[in-house]
Amino acid sequence: MDKSDREQHDQFLRLFMEHEEMLRLFVRSLLFSGEESREVMQEVAIVLWRKFDSSLDRMSFRRWAFGVARMEALAFRRDRARDRHLFGDDVAELLGQEICNESKGLERQRNVLETCVEKLRPDQRELLQSAYQPGAKMKKMAEELKCTSMTLYKKLHRIRMQLMECTQRELAAEECL
């Protein structure tokens, strides 16, 4: 693999990984089972890689990837059309549109939340990150911070309230634009 191929591959992986979770949820909403959605996601990844155009920006890739995912899911459904457990194409299309609309809103909320987390004091950010690490134990954290578990819960509650107020303010400000 030469340098330009490697750069194109890296660009594809970055874009695909950024959108994979929402693509997976989208495909899952159109199909009957998790196994079916895994099968379709494999096909989606193959098609996206084969037809990837390195000139696509983040939003163009997203639109294109969701279109490919929809087409692959519908093709899969057509191939399995005799299964009585499937939604009709009209219902699947409505679900797909709704998931796309919801994913845009959720992505906007996630971006605003990240902005608000960055506005926290460093000690608050560190406490938040520690509390939400996989396997984090509040009792152990409280001991390390030399405070009671209740004090730690109250600190975290205040930080979460700050984040909620910040995100609500930011989202309201975006809507006014």
Side-chain angles (χ1 to χ4, degrees):
M1 193 184 275
D2 68 9
K3 185 177 179 181
S4 66
D5 288 341
R6 200 170 23 255
E7 287 172 357
Q8 182 178 14
H9 183 257
D10 291 349
Q11 181 185 6
F12 170 79
L13 283 176
R14 277 189 209 96
L15 290 168
F16 182 73
M17 293 304 293
E18 179 180 347
H19 300 289
E20 181 186 17
E21 182 180 351
M22 285 298 172
L23 279 170
R24 192 171 299 282
L25 290 171
F26 175 68
V27 167
R28 180 66 177 98
S29 74
L30 298 175
L31 299 170
F32 183 66
S33 73
E35 183 60 38
E36 290 177 348
S37 65
R38 282 187 289 280
E39 192 175 325
V40 169
M41 276 303 294
Q42 288 176 359
E43 289 303 313
V44 168
I46 290 167
V47 170
L48 290 176
W49 172 241
R50 283 185 182 151
K51 298 183 178 185
F52 179 65
D53 177 359
S54 59
S55 68
L56 291 172
D57 65 11
R58 186 174 168 263
M59 291 312 293
S60 298
F61 179 86
R62 177 189 176 89
R63 283 189 298 275
W64 173 64
F66 271 79
V68 168
R70 185 177 68 248
M71 297 308 291
E72 288 297 317
L74 292 175
F76 181 88
R77 288 170 43 77
R78 273 192 301 275
D79 293 345
R80 302 260 201 298
R82 291 187 207 130
D83 187 345
R84 62 183 171 82
H85 294 105
L86 296 177
F87 294 123
D89 286 343
D90 55 340
V91 174
E93 187 66 31
L94 283 172
L95 284 171
Q97 289 172 354
E98 188 62 29
I99 294 291
C100 274
N101 293 339
E102 281 296 313
S103 70
K104 290 174 189 172
L106 291 173
E107 185 174 345
R108 193 175 97 240
Q109 289 174 359
R110 185 179 309 127
N111 291 337
V112 168
L113 179 59
E114 287 174 7
T115 300
C116 289
V117 168
E118 290 300 315
K119 291 179 180 180
L120 291 173
R121 293 189 326 258
D123 62 313
Q124 290 175 316
R125 271 196 312 272
E126 187 177 322
L127 179 60
L128 198 63
Q129 288 170 345
S130 297
Y132 287 102
Q133 281 186 33
K137 304 281 187 228
M138 291 295 134
K139 186 174 182 176
K140 184 178 178 192
M141 282 181 59
E143 289 170 4
E144 290 171 0
L145 294 170
K146 296 180 179 29
C147 66
T148 66
S149 294
M150 186 54 72
T151 301
L152 180 58
Y153 281 114
K154 286 180 180 178
K155 284 181 181 182
L156 287 169
H157 177 72
R158 284 191 293 270
I159 293 170
R160 285 191 296 265
M161 294 305 291
Q162 263 184 275
L163 289 173
M164 184 178 75
E165 291 168 4
C166 176
T167 54
Q168 287 174 342
R169 254 191 331 270
E170 295 288 328
L171 290 170
E174 280 183 13
E175 288 176 8
C176 290
L177 297 177

